Amino acid sequence: MKIQKIRFIEPGERPYKNTILNHLVYDRYIRTPSVGLNTLATIVKKEYPDTFMYSEAISKIVRRDVLDADVIFIGIFTFNANRGYQIARWFKKHTKAVVVMGGLHATMNYREAVRYCDYVMLGEGDESILELLHALESGDPLKVSGLACLKSGKLKLTEERRPPENIDGIADRSLVYQYRNRVHYNTIWPQVHASRGCPHNCDYCALVRLYGHRVRTRSVEDVIKDIQYSLDFFNSGRFPRMLRGVWLTDDNFFADREWAMAVLRGIIDSGIRTHFTVQARYEVGFDDEMLALLKKAGFFQLAIGIEFIDDAEFETFHKRSTVEEIRRAIKNIQRHGISVRGLFIMGGDQDREGIGDRLADFVIENDIKSVVIQSMYFVPGTPVYERNRDKLLHENWSKYNGCVVHYPKQISPYQLQLEHIHACKKIYSLKRLMRALIREDWIHKLLFFGEFFWHRSICLDLEDELPYLKKVSER
């Protein structure tokens, strides 16, 4: 076949809807488009000029443009897998395109994904994507490693592919439909992914199963160029942004300490002046040299994967942490003038009635500025998924977005959902909103205001599930 037109599609958790909430509420009808899929589109564009990307995170798909594509790539996570399958099925029915699926969920659950497309591209596609396109043109796609497909109804897996070593490269945001027209929304952040992999082995983490335990890093120069390009792109819209900032989306930016410090020095030396946030394990809170560099480079916040507030829970899921160490780390981070965003999981074996109050009190007592709370997250292929398959309520992936989807050990699914709602409302109460608007600096005022509405929308979604969860809890 001759390939001329290629389209990339990122499904939404729900189809995109244009609403005033897009300016206030992250991840209800809007969020930042996938850097990973955008990177693959950028790689392909260099060889196939008619390449473009649609993300339901920021726009509707212009289907008439996709109908005559030769190849359609669809990238999925667990939360948007059902929507991805729906899109793939529609384009399989209405086009002659070769439909390829990839991403974390498709890789971890390829036996399911392969039923909806022609091929599943496993793992990271930086090197395999052009090989697959060339092989499709030559008529021999099964010579490409890292591929799954159905042949005569039987699953066919090609040779396993090694992860790419060179991950330098800047995603061209202009390839994403309507991206530039959305950059003034404060719910969308410039994102830069600077490294892949994590040396730790938490049972619930799917990303280490995708990227591996060995940390691979982009060159410092490439990261700095990407940060500057992202800022320039986000400041090129028709309307000014209220919040100038960059989110480094690495799963463990500090795993390679010397490289991380080199990146921070590079930011300082470049003269870039903006607000940065990044995810981190709590141990960075004991590294005073690193914290001083973070502050100097413009980092105002660290998103700490705290997960649990019970030491026994850490042991259960093979995470080397203690609650007391986390408290001390938080205090030391704050001493350096950097705030903490807490990432929490509810629904572990130790959780029982009252966990919502305990979690909210932990957040308030430790002056954690903002939170993300999810019920136990089960991604197919992770140890925690395999260990709890018999406890799952269902495998409706669209509900794997923070809702309760399993039978916890010491609390009913219904009660756990109520605890989640209570924790959100206690942390993001009207009283605390007024306190933030009066006492916090301008950036935390703005963020708490947005998070207040975001968590209200989360609570509405969680409350919608209560009748079902009450029913299954009474069985």
Side-chain angles (χ1 to χ4, degrees):
M1 66 181 291
K2 176 64 175 175
I3 296 175
Q4 293 183 313
K5 185 173 183 178
I6 300 169
R7 292 295 181 262
F8 287 77
I9 296 175
E10 178 189 16
E13 180 179 342
R14 62 194 89 194
Y16 177 78
K17 178 181 178 181
N18 191 16
T19 165
I20 190 65
L21 290 176
N22 292 350
H23 295 268
L24 300 171
V25 182
Y26 176 80
D27 216 10
R28 185 161 177 90
Y29 293 111
I30 195 164
R31 66 182 190 282
T32 308
S34 166
V35 175
L37 197 63
N38 192 185
T39 298
L40 296 183
T42 303
I43 291 169
V44 169
K45 173 76 172 179
K46 294 174 182 176
E47 193 163 329
Y48 296 87
D50 194 355
T51 296
F52 202 55
M53 175 175 163
Y54 293 96
S55 172
E56 286 193 313
I58 58 170
S59 74
K60 293 182 179 180
I61 301 166
V62 181
R63 298 199 177 208
R64 66 180 180 275
D65 173 57
V66 186
L67 285 173
D68 62 344
D70 299 304
V71 182
I72 301 170
F73 289 97
I74 303 172
I76 57 173
F77 289 88
T78 299
F79 70 88
N80 65 359
N82 285 1
R83 176 63 180 161
Y85 295 153
Q86 182 184 43
I87 291 170
R89 189 187 294 116
W90 194 91
F91 281 114
K92 283 285 292 176
K93 181 178 180 180
H94 293 91
T95 75
K96 297 179 180 179
V98 175
V99 177
V100 182
M101 300 195 82
L104 188 148
H105 185 86
T107 295
M108 303 286 284
N109 206 18
Y110 59 83
R111 294 177 185 277
E112 174 186 273
V114 78
R115 303 200 303 265
Y116 299 90
C117 59
D118 296 296
Y119 300 97
V120 174
M121 197 165 63
L122 305 173
E124 302 166 59
D126 308 56
E127 296 172 348
S128 58
I129 194 162
L130 286 177
E131 289 182 24
L132 175 58
L133 290 170
H134 297 160
L136 286 170
E137 289 188 307
S138 66
D140 192 12
L142 291 183
K143 71 180 182 181
V144 178
S145 60
L147 214 60
C149 65
L150 290 177
K151 289 295 180 183
S152 302
K154 293 184 178 180
L155 180 67
K156 175 72 175 178
L157 285 175
T158 63
E159 183 181 359
E160 186 175 356
R161 175 176 288 273
R162 294 172 62 88
E165 292 296 327
N166 181 3
I167 58 173
D168 276 4
I170 297 172
D172 181 357
R173 277 71 166 175
S174 65
L175 290 179
V176 184
Y177 179 65
Q178 291 287 12
Y179 203 168
R180 197 180 297 275
N181 293 334
R182 303 285 190 262
V183 295
H184 63 283
Y185 290 17
N186 288 297
T187 42
I188 300 179
W189 279 63
Q191 293 184 355
V192 173
H193 202 77
S195 66
R196 302 178 192 173
C198 177
H200 300 285
N201 199 35
C202 302
D203 285 359
Y204 44 81
C205 181
L207 291 170
V208 73
R209 274 86 202 171
L210 178 67
Y211 292 134
H213 292 287
R214 189 169 63 83
V215 178
R216 289 162 289 133
T217 59
R218 292 168 63 185
S219 68
V220 173
E221 296 76 17
D222 197 55
V223 175
I224 303 304
K225 287 179 183 177
D226 199 351
I227 291 170
Q228 188 60 66
Y229 164 73
S230 298
L231 287 169
D232 291 344
F233 182 82
F234 269 72
N235 289 320
S236 65
R238 290 175 292 178
F239 305 101
R241 285 176 60 81
M242 291 176 65
L243 177 61
R244 283 176 56 89
V246 173
W247 179 8
L248 295 183
T249 57
D250 300 44
D251 307 299
N252 194 342
F253 177 79
F254 304 97
D256 184 334
R257 184 177 186 274
E258 294 307 312
W259 169 83
M261 294 184 73
V263 171
L264 296 177
R265 293 189 185 103
I267 292 171
I268 294 166
D269 293 343
S270 72
I272 292 172
R273 295 291 179 266
T274 193
H275 297 90
F276 288 94
T277 183
V278 67
Q279 294 179 168
R281 281 179 59 95
Y282 78 95
E283 290 95 338
V284 74
F286 302 122
D287 190 335
D288 289 318
E289 185 181 7
M290 182 74 77
L291 292 171
L293 270 180
L294 284 164
K295 181 64 177 176
K296 189 175 181 181
F299 284 74
F300 77 98
Q301 180 189 73
L302 295 181
I304 304 294
I306 298 170
E307 273 90 53
F308 308 108
I309 53 173
D310 191 301
D311 287 348
E313 213 76 270
F314 292 127
E315 293 179 14
T316 299
F317 295 102
H318 301 108
K319 178 161 184 173
R320 290 173 292 182
S321 304
T322 70
V323 175
E324 182 53 35
E325 284 182 330
I326 288 170
R327 287 182 188 274
R328 290 195 295 111
I330 290 171
K331 285 185 174 64
N332 199 40
I333 292 167
Q334 293 166 341
R335 278 192 211 101
H336 283 80
I338 301 171
S339 68
V340 171
R341 177 177 174 82
L343 314 180
F344 295 93
I345 297 173
M346 298 179 71
D349 290 349
Q350 308 303 317
D351 287 349
R352 52 181 64 85
E353 194 168 337
I355 181 61
D357 261 326
R358 289 179 58 217
L359 194 154
D361 290 344
F362 180 91
V363 169
I364 295 167
E365 290 166 6
N366 289 281
D367 196 24
I368 295 172
K369 299 297 185 187
S370 60
V371 300
V372 175
I373 304 172
Q374 289 191 317
S375 292
M376 185 58 69
Y377 194 63
F378 300 91
V379 177
T382 57
V384 73
Y385 172 86
E386 299 299 336
R387 197 164 62 236
N388 289 277
R389 291 186 74 163
D390 60 334
K391 299 176 184 175
L392 297 180
L393 301 177
H394 54 74
E395 290 191 342
N396 178 358
W397 305 126
S398 65
K399 304 298 183 183
Y400 282 55
N401 60 353
C403 287
V404 177
V405 296
H406 81 300
Y407 289 99
K409 191 172 183 178
Q410 302 192 58
I411 188 172
S412 72
Y414 175 74
Q415 185 61 42
L416 181 62
Q417 191 92 328
L418 288 175
E419 298 286 345
H420 188 166
I421 294 167
H422 176 68
C424 284
K425 289 186 175 180
K426 187 170 182 178
I427 295 167
Y428 289 96
S429 66
L430 279 170
K431 180 180 178 180
R432 283 177 48 78
L433 172 61
M434 295 308 297
R435 179 186 180 279
L437 294 178
I438 293 169
R439 296 187 181 183
E440 297 291 353
D441 59 26
W442 73 269
I443 193 168
H444 288 99
K445 280 181 170 65
L446 183 61
L447 290 176
F448 199 98
F449 182 78
E451 296 244 349
F452 176 86
F453 287 99
W454 176 41
H455 280 80
R456 292 285 156 159
S457 74
I458 289 173
C459 286
L460 289 175
D461 287 345
L462 296 176
E463 287 165 357
D464 285 345
E465 287 296 297
L466 286 175
Y468 165 75
L469 292 173
K470 187 172 185 179
K471 184 177 180 180
V472 298
S473 296
E474 291 171 347
R475 290 176 184 171

